[in-house]
Amino acid sequence: MDFNLNDEQKMMRRVAAEIADERFAPKAEEMEERREIPADLLRFLAEQGYFGMFLPEQYGGAEVDFVTYALTIEEFSRGSAAVALVVSVQNALVGKPILMYGTDEQKEKYLARAASGELIGAFALTEEDAGSDAANVQTTAAKKDGRYVFNGHKLYVTNAGLAGLFLVVARTSPEAGGKGLSCFLMERDTPGFTVGERFDGMGMCALDVRRLEFENCEVPPDALLGAEGEGLKIALASLDGSRIGVAAQAVGIGQQAFNEARRYAGEREQFGRPILSFQAIQFYLVEMATRLDAARLLTLRAATKADAGEPFSAEAAMAKLYASEAANFCANLGVQIHGGYGYMKDYAVERFFRDARVTEIYEGTSEIQKLVIAGKLLRG
Ligand SMILES: Cc1cc2nc3c(=O)[nH]c(=O)nc-3n(C[C@H](O)[C@H](O)[C@H](O)COP(=O)(O)OP(=O)(O)OC[C@H]3O[C@@H](n4cnc5c(N)ncnc54)[C@H](O)[C@@H]3O)c2cc1C
């Protein structure tokens, strides 16, 4: 497999790195404290084409490949993992599924507005009794006079406070399991739909993650995305692509933990010399760099397969599983190399340590990635 980047991919990576270093990193701490991503930063991202990354030009999109997407999310995550996640959800969990499964009318109605940043999107699958067991969604979308009536709730919906459009998975048939689920495009101002309480997370505090409530909330039949009964299939296929983004996000967090630790180790002196001269510290950095390289290669392999139109579900799961563990390993050693200073909020490694944790949990826990991989490895 060829991992050489073409000129456009290199250029996109360089631009994303500059944006991360110049616009995200200096504001990351403030965004964390204020628990928000400033509107002007979101506007800037939209203007630069980062809200329509997979979308064709006719909708104002940049139509980049998965490799470019992964490189961009990795670089963005070095500056702010929270900002990178907003970009990732908008592209992989909202724009892409509408492009893949939407009707012409749905594409016309939403995609240009998503690319321009007028519409931020959110993806709503998880419920109290449907986390890892996604097929157990209990929110109902019952048919009444040709319309769908929603009742139920959703948990942990990223971007919910900002979003104007929600991709919601709901049960259209009492049939057990995934075959009774369907996907819908729900607008924020739909009567009976409430964006509820905000969750207070361990890390990525600038993210707006909320509960949703549906109470006799009616949508017209053209809100259905794809066919009835295809909801779980659409959600899981979208998560396959999005896991490449989470893997890239993890690589970015781990890489910046490495960068900060490398710099600090060169400056900090103990026993009359820089701690970088101690072999123990060098070995920590070597282990971090080696795992990051492996994680990046797994991520690029999954992205390359996706770009080639080949099945990539197990490869994306492997990339996410390994990269998220690598991010936590690197963030942990990043703190260790900083000593007591690394435990304090004055240094960015403290944030990376908290931000890295969720990459092993969201968009399918590490245990669920192992189930996906086992399904492919052990089939037959
Ligand atoms: C910050 C954040 C943002 C999120 N954003 C979104 C979003 O935008 N949209 C959305 O729909 N969801 C979102 N989620 C939800 C996330 O995807 C779920 O939390 C995740 O899938 C795990 O589900 P759960 O929390 O119910 O854990 P559970 O499924 O209850 O899992 C608990 C533990 O049991 C393990 N476990 C469960 N089943 C098995 C099994 N069969 N074999 C082995 N181990 C198992 C899990 O791996 C885990 O360790 C978000 C979560 C967080 C924390």
Side-chain angles (χ1 to χ4, degrees):
M1 194 171 269
D2 180 8
F3 289 124
N4 288 316
L5 303 181
N6 63 35
D7 287 346
E8 186 169 346
Q9 290 165 340
K10 283 184 198 158
M11 187 269 291
M12 291 289 284
R13 169 172 221 162
R14 199 170 50 246
V15 172
E18 280 167 18
I19 291 173
D21 290 333
E22 289 166 18
R23 295 192 180 249
F24 302 167
K27 287 199 181 138
E29 220 39 68
E30 191 187 330
M31 289 193 275
E32 183 81 355
E33 267 165 35
R34 298 175 71 128
R35 299 178 73 224
E36 67 172 17
I37 298 171
D40 63 338
L41 196 51
L42 295 172
R43 238 185 341 268
F44 169 80
L45 287 167
E47 282 163 9
Q48 299 300 311
Y50 291 111
F51 282 169
M53 292 188 77
F54 293 123
L55 305 180
E57 213 182 322
Q58 72 181 106
Y59 302 114
E63 204 171 8
V64 303
D65 54 18
F66 266 102
V67 167
T68 306
Y69 168 71
L71 296 169
T72 303
I73 297 295
E74 179 191 329
E75 292 300 340
F76 278 7
S77 301
R78 287 192 310 95
S80 165
V83 173
L85 192 71
V86 172
V87 172
S88 173
V89 169
Q90 177 82 347
N91 287 297
L93 290 178
V94 181
K96 184 93 174 167
I98 298 175
L99 183 68
M100 299 275 293
Y101 305 101
T103 60
D104 288 345
E105 290 72 26
Q106 287 170 332
K107 291 179 196 174
E108 286 302 323
K109 191 169 178 189
Y110 295 122
L111 291 183
R113 291 163 69 202
S116 73
E118 181 195 328
L119 262 189
I120 302 279
F123 175 86
L125 172 63
T126 304
E127 299 176 1
E128 267 156 32
D129 293 325
S132 299
D133 187 6
N136 194 38
V137 160
Q138 299 298 319
T139 293
T140 51
K143 246 189 176 151
K144 186 183 152 210
D145 304 329
R147 292 168 70 84
Y148 293 96
V149 184
F150 278 65
N151 279 290
H153 75 278
K154 292 287 169 186
L155 278 193
Y156 301 145
V157 178
T158 300
N159 287 354
L162 312 169
L165 183 66
F166 296 76
L167 195 155
V168 182
V169 182
R171 185 161 296 284
T172 41
S173 145
E175 191 181 350
K179 293 209 172 97
L181 300 180
S182 305
C183 263
F184 293 87
L185 297 171
M186 186 171 292
E187 297 182 16
R188 188 187 187 92
D189 57 4
T190 308
F193 172 41
T194 316
V195 176
E197 70 179 272
R198 181 169 174 178
F199 294 97
D200 210 358
M202 173 195 295
M204 290 197 224
C205 301
L207 272 189
D208 194 308
V209 181
R210 290 179 192 255
R211 184 181 169 97
L212 308 181
E213 301 284 352
F214 309 97
E215 204 184 331
N216 295 322
C217 163
E218 277 189 36
V219 297
D222 61 7
L224 181 69
L225 181 69
E228 258 191 38
E230 277 190 353
L232 192 65
K233 190 185 95 184
I234 293 174
L236 295 184
S238 305
L239 284 168
D240 280 344
S242 174
R243 279 173 191 154
I244 294 176
V246 177
Q249 181 189 45
V251 175
I253 296 169
Q255 183 63 53
Q256 198 57 20
F258 172 91
N259 295 349
E260 298 286 339
R262 165 72 184 80
R263 190 185 47 74
Y264 184 82
E267 290 167 2
R268 173 71 173 164
E269 292 195 0
Q270 285 294 276
F271 300 94
R273 51 192 173 124
I275 60 169
L276 186 60
S277 67
F278 301 130
Q279 197 177 44
I281 302 294
Q282 292 175 7
F283 280 9
Y284 281 158
L285 291 166
V286 167
E287 285 177 46
M288 290 161 86
T290 305
R291 290 188 198 209
L292 287 171
D293 262 10
R296 185 176 291 112
L297 286 170
L298 281 174
T299 306
L300 289 176
R301 178 182 69 159
T304 303
K305 287 203 117 189
D307 286 334
E310 294 171 23
F312 64 96
S313 172
E315 286 78 4
M318 280 186 184
K320 187 201 180 260
L321 171 66
Y322 188 83
S324 59
E325 286 178 358
N328 280 280
F329 177 85
C330 292
N332 187 40
L333 284 185
V335 170
Q336 193 67 18
I337 291 171
H338 280 70
Y341 297 92
Y343 191 73
M344 305 302 164
K345 289 196 178 283
D346 306 336
Y347 284 83
V349 284
E350 182 270 344
R351 173 164 45 87
F352 303 149
F353 184 82
R354 290 182 290 105
D355 286 355
R357 193 64 188 85
V358 76
T359 63
E360 289 182 304
I361 295 172
Y362 60 24
E363 305 204 13
T365 61
S366 291
E367 292 77 13
I368 295 307
Q369 306 311 313
K370 288 178 191 172
L371 289 183
V372 173
I373 299 161
K376 166 145 189 233
L377 273 185
L378 311 178
R379 194 179 298 145

